[in-house]
Amino acid sequence: MVTVTYHGHACFHLSAGKHSLLFDPFLSGNPLAAARVEDFRSLTAILVSHGHADHLGDAVELSKRTKAPIIAPFELAAFCERRGAFVHPMHIGGSFGFEFGRVKLTIAHHGSAVVDKTTEYTGNPCGFLVHLGGLTFYHAGDTGLFYDMKLIGELDDIDVALLPIGDNFTMGPRDAAKAVEFLRPRYVVPMHFATFDVLEQDTSRFLLAMETLDAEPAVMAPGESREFS
Ligand code: NI
Ligand code: MN
């Protein structure tokens, strides 16, 4: 059994037994995040899909506070390490067996740069396949729809898919529903919507597009927790 807590945007906390993972910890400056950096005293690992501020977020500070490694594509991990974070660099197509379970990095069609006063490219963005607590999770990161999602669904029986539906920067509702068709997960949690004005503001169009599919939509509000088994 895995307890999933949604912190808005692409940030999810997964916990099973003594292990807890935090994905794309955009807390500071996230209008939808109820949690703050101080709320996380201990973490097993922090998984960061790409360098954009709404995903890298507070990852470096959280790693320093909790000593949890940031699992990220090599170039992004190096960026974080230079800022004092603990890291475990990986790259697309590679997997590693951590104490909590195996993690594999998947492709994502998107950018990955840290953009503030300058732009520093941090390699390729990724998605994550994570085995935890007897379940398989797919966090797609930020991505457009791609046909290889079919392959991802063939290679792993995905229990829970965390998919962006917000459009503009990622898949919109219709493409996200097509992604569900390719991935064939048991449950789908929509993410990366409503945070900003340019994004899809609710899940209605996504749920409509999902109606004919077998997967069960699991819409979560920021701050909400749900158990999957
Ligand atoms: Ni992004
Ligand atoms: Mn994003």
Side-chain angles (χ1 to χ4, degrees), residues 9 49-55 110-113 125 141-143 169-170 192:
H9 209 53
S49 64
H50 62 292
H52 294 162
D54 58 322
H55 298 260
H110 195 65
S112 181
D142 275 1
T143 186
F169 296 115
T170 68
H192 212 276

Side-chain angles (χ1 to χ4, degrees), residues 132-153:
L132 178 73
L135 298 178
T136 301
F137 290 83
Y138 172 54
H139 185 296
D142 275 1
T143 186
L145 177 65
F146 54 92
Y147 200 66
D148 280 3
M149 284 179 178
K150 218 173 155 91
L151 181 62
I152 295 172

Side-chain angles (χ1 to χ4, degrees), residues 107-182:
I107 59 169
H109 290 314
H110 195 65
S112 181
V114 179
V115 182
D116 40 40
K117 288 182 187 115
T118 58
T119 297
E120 181 166 347
Y121 280 92
T122 47
N124 288 307
C126 75
F128 295 102
L129 267 170
V130 175
H131 299 277
L132 178 73
L135 298 178
T136 301
F137 290 83
Y138 172 54
H139 185 296
D142 275 1
T143 186
L145 177 65
F146 54 92
Y147 200 66
D148 280 3
M149 284 179 178
K150 218 173 155 91
L151 181 62
I152 295 172
E154 274 173 29
L155 294 177
D156 277 278
D157 285 328
I158 299 167
D159 293 292
V160 184
L162 316 171
L163 299 182
I165 66 155
D167 222 338
N168 194 76
F169 296 115
T170 68
M171 299 189 284
R174 192 159 168 262
D175 283 5
K178 194 70 188 172
V180 174
E181 196 183 316
F182 288 160

Side-chain angles (χ1 to χ4, degrees), residues 3-127:
T3 304
V4 175
T5 305
Y6 186 42
H7 292 295
H9 209 53
C11 183
F12 290 87
H13 183 261
L14 271 52
S15 70
K18 62 176 181 173
H19 297 299
S20 67
L21 310 180
L22 191 63
F23 289 79
D24 286 353
F26 173 43
L27 303 172
S28 306
N30 177 356
L32 295 185
R36 295 171 308 158
V37 167
E38 300 78 51
D39 298 335
F40 299 94
R41 292 206 179 78
S42 119
L43 289 167
T44 309
I46 302 158
L47 295 85
V48 182
S49 64
H50 62 292
H52 294 162
D54 58 322
H55 298 260
L56 178 59
D58 302 297
V60 170
E61 195 191 333
L62 282 161
S63 173
K64 286 179 182 170
R65 289 174 67 95
T66 63
K67 304 213 170 11
I70 292 174
I71 301 171
F74 176 77
E75 295 83 355
L76 179 56
F79 176 94
C80 295
E81 192 173 36
R82 287 197 297 277
R83 281 151 187 82
F86 298 86
V87 299
H88 181 107
M90 294 182 66
H91 233 305
I92 291 160
S95 72
F96 185 82
F98 292 90
E99 198 194 323
F100 60 84
R102 187 160 283 272
V103 173
K104 185 179 184 184
L105 265 56
T106 60
I107 59 169
H109 290 314
H110 195 65
S112 181
V114 179
V115 182
D116 40 40
K117 288 182 187 115
T118 58
T119 297
E120 181 166 347
Y121 280 92
T122 47
N124 288 307
C126 75

